[in-house]
Amino acid sequence: MTYTVGSYLAARLAQIGLKHHFAVAGDFNLALLDQLLTNEETEQVYCCNELNCGYAAEGYARANGAAAAVVTFSVGGLSIINAIAGANAENLPVILISGGPNTNDRATDHLLHHTMATSDLSYQHDIAARITCCAVTIISPDKAPYQIDSAIRAALRESKPAYIEIACNIAGASCAAPGPVSSLLAGAPSDPATLEAAVSTAADFIKGRKKPLILIGSKLRAAKAEAAALALAQALGCPVAVMAAAKSFFPETHPQFAGVYWGEVSSPGTREIVDWSDGLICIGTLFNDYSTVGWTSNPAGANVLTLDIDHVSLAGHDFSGVRLAEVLDGLATRVEANPTALNELHRLRAAPAVVPEAPPEAKLSRTEMMRQIQGLLTGDSTVLVETGDSWFNGMNLALPEGARFEIEMQWGSIGWAVPATFGYAVGAPGRQVIAMIGDGSFQLTAQEVAQMIRRKLPIILFLINNRGYTIEVEIHDGPYNNIKNWDYAGLINVFNAEDGEGLGLRAGTGGELAEAITRALGNANGPTLIECALDRDDCSPNLISWGRRVATANARPPQPK
Ligand code: TPP
């Protein structure tokens, strides 16, 4: 078989497990898209715009481990930047592929359409280089295989986005055949001596503590170390709390699960047990102003052992170049069971409160909405929550074994959830995909519901219509937090046009919501959007507490010189 630059890239995408790639067409990438279409093992999935395309790929990477998005030069390449920077922040290997100007127009004074009427055509590469772990521009078919492999290998190893720009007249040019894919998939091994030193120092730290406790953070998935963390937890027999951004990265049905640790807005009893521990084992954690509740809960100091993706640190020690999964595997064989903190957790923790069912004709409340969403979850569910009160409502969900939870908490860009949910559902066809999205966020990227309809995906979208940016109201209110109301449920018919099978339903009472959920479960050939009408101030108490702390942190005056 002979290869072109484009078909080589397609082969690599298929080999690394991408059964789909997301795309928006434009004249700089049409020849490339044609080449990608020649490979039947990676299907082209179209998006309404490039920002959505980036988020769809980001969601796909959450479901599938990696993803690719293909856009045209400049007008597309700059639109997708927000989503790719988000993938960087969230440690997801999304490969951004852009068509590029013809080689004959580079290094000349030719002015091209879609550019800022400047002959410097390197700006998109330069911008992409700032937000990816590897950026390559391909202007020669001879070098293409090496450049493509370098970018994909870096993305997979570092769990970060990479950038591949391909000149539009090079995509169809012949190039060498791909070698074994294992060269892209093999991770860099730990240095054995450093690994041994890191594991034995960390094991000593744990042995020296009376009340060790594990805290899991969002980087655990990027390190592909969920199974290794579970094995260490079981060997140690201690409580395991998760950070909000890592919800579902440790099974919530496990007897050692200690809830979500999020400072003042933690699950009941979780903050107390974390504070009580004299040996906090932080695995893949990331502390920022939001996760520390405005810097009020920021674990640090001599009682903290940090096990990061490629790095172990504790007071007086620092070891880098070690892989997290190998560190955890090593520790699991060296620690002794210590259930002290688990016993204390059982004493501290009250039985979960049972939320009574609201009368079916009563006006819909947030608690009744969440009670019904909770009842919907199975081990096959994945819940995606958009920035807003959905973060806080989602945290309280008790996830059945196997259920997954997705949150874009480091980047926190509203508009993420609709396209990311679309991409996630493309990447996880067997799962029940549910999203909770505020009205304000929905308005950014709503049109991607049309792609869910196009692909007949039975996603359930809970559109929370509380008439504004409630999370912003709690941080800092003003007229800018009011938004124009839409007929959200009615929008689905607009997207259905002549052939779609999406359902748009409205729930103003608990009874209407129950009926809408029943209809959604029966709608197998398209998404169902359920518009839940809530009062503007019907938000979770945790949002209020957290918002107050974050507002205080934001309002700190400059330090005097
Ligand atoms: N623009 C982007 C792209 N991302 C952001 N995070 C913001 C602005 C600031 N922001 C954060 S949350 C939010 C805004 C504007 C409002 C969310 O409102 P909504 O989706 O209605 O959710 P609610 O808080 O009402 O639950």
Side-chain angles (χ1 to χ4, degrees):
M1 177 176 173
T2 56
Y3 282 88
T4 64
V5 172
S7 69
Y8 182 100
L9 175 61
R12 284 313 204 193
L13 297 183
Q15 287 171 340
I16 65 164
L18 306 193
K19 293 195 177 72
H20 308 87
H21 55 274
F22 297 86
V24 179
D27 58 359
F28 287 112
N29 73 9
L30 298 176
L32 173 61
L33 291 175
D34 284 342
Q35 290 298 317
L36 296 174
L37 282 171
T38 62
N39 188 321
E40 288 178 1
E41 287 167 32
T42 175
E43 188 187 343
Q44 225 155 70
V45 178
Y46 306 110
C47 296
C48 296
N49 63 49
E50 286 81 359
L51 176 62
N52 292 359
C53 184
Y55 284 139
E58 198 261 25
Y60 188 88
R62 288 170 184 266
N64 191 57
V70 191
V71 299
T72 193
F73 187 64
S74 205
V75 288
L78 298 192
S79 286
I80 200 172
I81 290 296
N82 182 348
I84 299 300
N88 190 323
E90 301 287 319
N91 296 299
L92 293 161
V94 175
I95 298 156
L96 167 57
I97 299 158
S98 176
N102 185 299
T103 51
N104 296 301
D105 293 319
R106 295 175 189 251
T108 66
D109 60 358
H110 294 176
L111 298 183
L112 297 179
H113 70 287
H114 289 346
T115 71
M116 295 177 287
T118 151
S119 54
D120 176 359
L121 300 172
S122 59
Y123 59 91
Q124 182 173 301
H125 176 117
D126 293 347
I127 293 169
R130 289 292 302 272
I131 57 163
T132 59
C133 67
C134 180
V136 297
T137 290
I138 295 172
I139 53 170
S140 141
D142 296 343
K143 297 210 174 81
Y146 175 77
Q147 289 180 291
I148 290 170
D149 282 7
S150 302
I152 296 177
R153 183 184 300 113
L156 298 182
R157 279 196 178 177
E158 297 183 34
S159 211
K160 293 282 185 190
Y163 174 74
I164 301 174
E165 179 178 323
I166 302 179
C168 59
N169 59 332
I170 294 294
S174 304
C175 74
V181 71
S182 48
S183 87
L184 303 187
L185 301 175
S190 302
D191 168 60
T194 312
L195 179 63
E196 169 54 31
V199 169
S200 84
T201 310
D204 287 346
F205 170 94
I206 295 169
K207 275 182 204 145
R209 307 289 148 160
K210 293 194 180 66
K211 305 171 281 186
L213 183 145
I214 291 176
L215 177 62
I216 284 181
S218 59
K219 287 187 273 178
L220 183 68
R221 170 163 62 188
K224 300 186 178 63
E226 284 181 57
L230 180 61
L232 173 63
Q234 293 187 160
L236 201 48
C238 67
V240 182
V242 297
M243 294 185 70
K247 186 174 167 73
S248 83
F249 290 8
F250 186 84
E252 298 197 352
T253 48
H254 195 284
Q256 288 166 248
F257 180 62
V260 176
Y261 174 70
W262 192 358
E264 190 176 323
V265 297
S266 298
S267 314
T270 307
R271 184 186 191 184
E272 290 75 5
I273 197 66
V274 170
D275 288 349
W276 191 71
S277 168
D278 65 348
L280 194 57
I281 305 164
C282 292
I283 307 180
T285 49
L286 192 156
F287 298 107
N288 66 16
D289 53 342
Y290 274 15
S291 66
T292 62
V293 192
W295 306 116
T296 58
S297 292
N298 192 7
N303 282 345
V304 174
L305 164 67
T306 302
L307 311 178
D308 209 340
I309 295 183
D310 57 357
H311 188 207
V312 168
S313 62
L314 64 162
H317 300 277
D318 207 289
F319 304 97
S320 59
V322 288
R323 292 175 68 183
L324 181 58
E326 292 181 57
V327 171
L328 298 175
D329 287 345
L331 275 176
T333 63
R334 298 210 203 172
V335 296
E336 282 160 24
N338 182 346
T340 312
L342 192 59
N343 294 337
E344 181 64 12
L345 176 68
H346 290 151
R347 282 190 285 268
L348 275 175
R349 196 158 49 183
V354 179
V355 182
E357 183 177 344
E361 65 289 354
K363 189 172 170 357
L364 186 63
S365 67
R366 188 187 57 83
T367 44
E368 175 59 15
M369 176 185 76
M370 291 313 299
R371 191 191 67 77
Q372 293 198 27
I373 294 176
Q374 176 69 65
L376 191 56
L377 303 188
T378 71
D380 291 328
S381 306
T382 297
V383 183
L384 294 97
V385 293
E386 177 68 280
T387 304
D389 200 23
S390 296
W391 276 3
F392 297 87
N393 289 322
M395 281 308 137
N396 294 333
L397 288 171
L399 301 178
E401 192 173 347
R404 301 292 301 190
F405 188 86
E406 298 293 343
I407 181 167
E408 195 217 30
M409 205 172 164
Q410 174 59 32
W411 191 242
S413 186
I414 58 170
W416 164 82
V418 173
T421 300
F422 167 58
Y424 190 100
V426 172
R431 295 190 70 83
Q432 177 196 49
V433 182
I434 296 167
M436 288 166 42
I437 306 172
D439 48 350
S441 301
F442 184 79
Q443 292 195 358
L444 273 81
T445 52
Q447 68 277 69
E448 219 56 20
V449 174
Q451 304 297 353
M452 300 176 183
I453 293 172
R454 186 181 193 180
R455 291 188 71 90
K456 300 188 179 304
L457 296 170
I459 294 166
I460 305 181
L461 301 166
F462 290 95
L463 185 293
I464 294 112
N465 186 355
N466 54 13
R467 307 269 175 152
Y469 295 160
T470 297
I471 188 172
E472 300 281 296
V473 171
E474 299 310 328
I475 296 175
H476 185 128
D477 201 9
Y480 33 75
N481 292 328
N482 301 327
I483 60 174
K484 167 77 182 79
N485 192 39
W486 289 8
D487 176 2
Y488 298 100
L491 206 51
I492 303 304
N493 273 339
V494 175
F495 294 145
N496 276 338
E498 63 285 348
D499 57 355
E501 294 180 60
L503 259 185
L505 306 170
R506 199 169 291 112
T509 65
E512 287 168 5
L513 180 58
E515 197 189 316
I517 289 176
T518 305
R519 288 187 64 191
L521 291 173
N523 182 25
N525 290 324
T528 302
L529 181 146
I530 304 176
E531 180 182 342
C532 301
L534 296 187
D535 277 343
R536 183 176 160 87
D537 295 323
D538 187 4
C539 69
S540 60
N542 279 348
L543 170 59
I544 296 173
S545 309
W546 175 88
R548 185 168 37 90
R549 296 284 187 196
V550 169
T552 306
N554 281 349
R556 286 165 300 166
Q559 290 287 323
K561 289 214 173 89

